[in-house]
Each structure stands twice: as C-alpha cells, then as structure tokens.
Amino acid sequence: MASPLRYSNDMSQDFDPQPGPAETPLQQIAEEIRQHGRFLVTSHARPDGDAVGSTLAMGSILHRLGKEVDMVLADPVPQVYRTLPGIARIRQARQVDASAYDAAIILECDGTLRTGLTGLDGMRLLNIDHHLTGIHFGTLNWIDPEASAVAAMVFEVAIALGVDVTPAIATCLYTALMTDTGSFTYPGTSADTFTLAHALIDLGAKADSVARDVLYSVPACRIQLLGRALSRIRIEQGVAWSWITQDDLAEFKATDEDSEGTVNYLISIAGVEAAVFLRETNGGPVGFRTSLRSKSSVDVSAVASRLGGGGHRNAAGCTLEGSFDASVARVLTAMYEEIERAAAAGTVC
Ligand code: 5GP
Ligand code: MN
C-alpha cells in the first residue's frame, strides 16, 4: 500500500516529522547530530550513486550546521559522479581514526565490514539504511525499506534539523534518487519518489544535467565491455546470466566499475524473471562479484543473503569465492530454488 506522501516542495511548512509519544529513529538521529560536533560520514565499498550522493548531501548538511565533517569512502568515486558539487571533499581511505570523531554516520550498510573501512569499532555509529536486509548494527539505527533511496532519508534528516536544502545538496540527493531507482523505474518507485524528485528539482536540482552527467557520459570501453557480456548471455529456466573476466577488462582497458549496470540489460529481456551477472574479482583468491536482479516477487535479497551478501527484493549482490564453474553453479542453484519457492507461493507466472 502506498504510504502517505512524505515530502512537499514547501517542506518547511508541510513536513511532519512523525510526532508521537516515542522518539522515532529519525528524531533520535537528529538529536544525536545536534549534540555532537565531529562526524565521519561514510557508505559502502564500491560506492554507487546513492552512496556517493547521500554521503555528499549528509556531509553538506552537517557542514551547514557548523559541524566538523570528514567524508570517507573506501573505494574511488565512479567517474560519472565526479562532477557532483563538493566531490573533492570526499577522501578515499581504508582506515579511519576513531578518536578524531564523536560519531560516524554510516549510510547504506549492513555492518561496518561493508564500509570497507577499519577503525570504526568502538565508535558511536548512526546507521541509516533502506535495505530489506538491513541490520541493527549501530548505536542508533534507522532502517526504512520503503525509502526508494537512502537519499530520501538524508533529505528527512535535513528537514528534521531545519537545514536549508541548497541546489548543491538537492543535486546530490536527486542523483542518488535517480540512480537508485533505475531512473525511476524499479519496483520501489512510488508516489513518494516522484514527490521527492519534484521537491529536489524545485530546490535547484537540474534533471537534464544530472542525466547528461550520469547516464550519457559513459566511457567507450564500458560499451565495448558490455558488448562482450551481452555476447555471452545464457538464458536458462527464466534466468539470464553472463560474466566478465579480468582478461576482458584488460583487453578493453576497462576497470571493475565499468561492468556496473550490465545486469540491468540481462533483466530487461522479455520472459526472463531473474538475472545474474558475475565479474571476476581483482587480486586475491579466485572469486566473483555477483549482481542479482529480478522482476515480480522473486526475492533476490534472499538469494544474496544465503550467499553472504544482501540487498533489496529486486536488486541484490554478493561476492562468491571459488572457481567460475563452482560460483555459477552455486548462484544459479540458489536462484532456481528461490524461483521455485516463489512459483509455489503463486507469485511468479
Ligand atoms: P549491485 O548489483 O548493483 O552491486 O548491488 C545491488 C544491491 O545489492 C545494492 O543495493 C547493494 O547495496 C546490494 N549489495 C550488493 N552487494 C552486496 C553485498 O555484498 N552485501 C550486501 N549486504 N549488499 C549488497
Ligand atoms: Mn541505496
């Protein structure tokens, strides 16, 4: 059922921060932010648009409140997000010094491990996440699987704290929202999503510029790599799957991030219920970063969780260790079982 609209383009008057006898997680997080001065903001390793945009927006919100802010991501910001306002303020590091902060705000993660950072242990952790597989690992936890992106939750933090959402913040949040909803097409896309998009555009985000910077600025090697992946598609029992090796990446002078999004082409095929895309990992033991997608109610977050990952009902991922053949067998077996389970429940035609 659709939830009541939570955003308005005149938010200062219309936003209702859900008053009630008990403090909501949002109110607790807002209070925690008011009471402390030095914050680390981070998100998951291999950051996507929601991770980057929401980190930047949260950093700016804290900055506008006069807080000391350090934005740190374990992996490089993907090329397409490097035009976002304030991007140079994100630091890439694998380790942080807990004593430098009063608290860490962790966006989009199911545990500290997923940040790719060490040094977070013992810190006050404010966990803000929208994954179905979200875990209460923080000191404070706000997990809202109804939110179409963590950006929607960061927006609510800004409103709860009375921070003006500047055009720069709106641009970061809009980028996060657009990318995390697959340009407003994934199943989590709701009336709330469009109301928030409306509000962000009113506040200065430029939909056409963001689309140009993010969707229409793809390096040529990425398209060549996509061609390789598409040429290998297998379709078996309603599952489309393909893969890319490190040799493929080397051949096209592409990097790991250049295969992101390939899985969306696999799930776009008519008659396919689920898609699996494997990318050989770089260095270390043989393994595969694996992206899962589904249509209808095949729950790929359940498949990913069984294999040590997580995500959303229709978009999830995990890392498989082991040979190509063993990895493919594990993930396809788990996927077929989930499809059978969904079919038995009568949710897949
Ligand atoms: P992607 O396939 O685009 O890498 O990831 C799809 C979704 O699954 C994203 O929301 C992402 O956060 C989540 N996801 C991907 N890999 C992992 C993983 O290893 N662990 C967890 N917990 N979530 C993941
Ligand atoms: Mn997200």
Side-chain angles (χ1 to χ4, degrees):
M1 200 184 70
S3 57
L5 296 184
R6 293 195 292 192
Y7 320 106
S8 156
N9 53 8
D10 186 5
M11 299 136 319
S12 54
Q13 287 172 29
D14 293 351
F15 182 77
D16 173 3
Q18 306 165 359
E23 251 196 345
T24 64
L26 167 59
Q27 288 165 339
Q28 289 174 346
I29 283 172
E31 190 53 30
E32 186 82 8
I33 291 175
R34 278 188 209 101
Q35 285 184 1
H36 292 101
R38 301 172 308 158
F39 291 90
L40 169 71
V41 182
T42 189
S43 186
H44 53 81
R46 295 190 313 110
D48 59 9
D50 197 17
V52 176
S54 294
T55 294
L56 278 174
M58 182 60 91
S60 300
I61 290 163
L62 295 172
H63 192 67
R64 291 183 74 77
L65 288 166
K67 312 288 181 184
E68 272 178 42
V69 191
D70 201 8
M71 292 180 262
V72 179
L73 294 174
D75 287 315
V77 170
Q79 191 65 42
V80 289
Y81 305 121
R82 292 196 193 158
T83 55
L84 281 176
I87 198 74
R89 294 185 52 214
I90 293 186
R91 214 157 49 79
Q92 193 199 334
R94 293 269 164 170
Q95 193 169 13
V96 292
D97 172 11
S99 70
Y101 313 105
D102 300 323
I105 299 182
I106 303 191
L107 305 169
E108 284 237 284
C109 291
D110 60 0
T112 53
L113 199 61
R114 182 122 170 86
T115 65
L117 301 178
T118 55
L120 292 166
D121 296 334
M123 287 182 75
R124 290 185 75 73
L125 303 177
L126 314 188
N127 165 23
I128 303 179
D129 189 14
H130 72 129
H131 288 92
L132 198 60
T133 51
I135 289 176
H136 286 70
F137 68 88
T139 316
L140 293 178
N141 301 280
W142 181 26
I143 300 172
D144 180 3
E146 299 255 301
S148 29
V150 155
M153 303 170 78
V154 173
F155 181 86
E156 294 198 46
V157 171
I159 303 307
L161 288 165
V163 174
D164 280 343
V165 175
T166 61
I169 295 174
T171 299
C172 294
L173 292 176
Y174 181 86
T175 302
L177 188 66
M178 184 193 79
T179 55
D180 235 36
T181 57
S183 304
F184 307 102
T185 64
Y186 292 163
T189 307
S190 64
D192 278 350
T193 316
F194 287 103
T195 308
L196 177 57
H198 182 161
L200 294 173
I201 288 172
D202 262 355
L203 289 162
K206 300 261 181 290
D208 58 339
S209 309
V210 172
R212 174 181 284 265
D213 290 347
V214 175
L215 304 177
Y216 303 120
S217 300
V218 176
C221 66
R222 199 167 177 149
I223 302 298
Q224 291 168 319
L225 195 66
L226 176 64
R228 175 64 51 85
L230 297 183
S231 72
R232 287 182 178 144
I233 291 176
R234 308 276 192 275
I235 302 177
E236 289 158 357
Q237 300 177 50
V239 179
W241 63 278
S242 185
W243 71 95
I244 283 292
T245 65
Q246 286 294 321
D247 283 348
D248 297 320
L249 295 176
E251 183 180 333
F252 296 119
K253 298 190 174 52
T255 63
D256 287 346
E257 89 178 52
D258 290 317
S259 67
E260 302 280 329
T262 301
V263 68
N264 298 318
Y265 292 85
L266 308 184
I267 194 63
S268 72
I269 299 169
V272 159
E273 280 303 327
V276 177
F277 176 72
L278 304 100
R279 174 191 44 81
E280 188 181 5
T281 48
N282 188 358
V286 179
F288 294 85
R289 267 295 316 160
T290 304
S291 287
L292 309 175
R293 296 291 184 273
S294 67
K295 293 174 189 161
S296 72
S297 56
V298 175
D299 182 1
V300 288
S301 75
V303 176
S305 293
R306 278 175 58 189
L307 300 172
H312 309 280
R313 174 175 285 273
N314 297 105
C318 57
T319 299
L320 301 170
E321 279 176 23
S323 70
F324 176 73
D325 289 347
S327 297
V328 169
R330 275 180 77 202
V331 66
L332 290 184
T333 302
M335 186 68 95
Y336 295 144
E337 282 171 10
E338 181 55 30
I339 291 175
E340 256 177 48
R341 203 202 52 71
T347 48
V348 182
C349 318

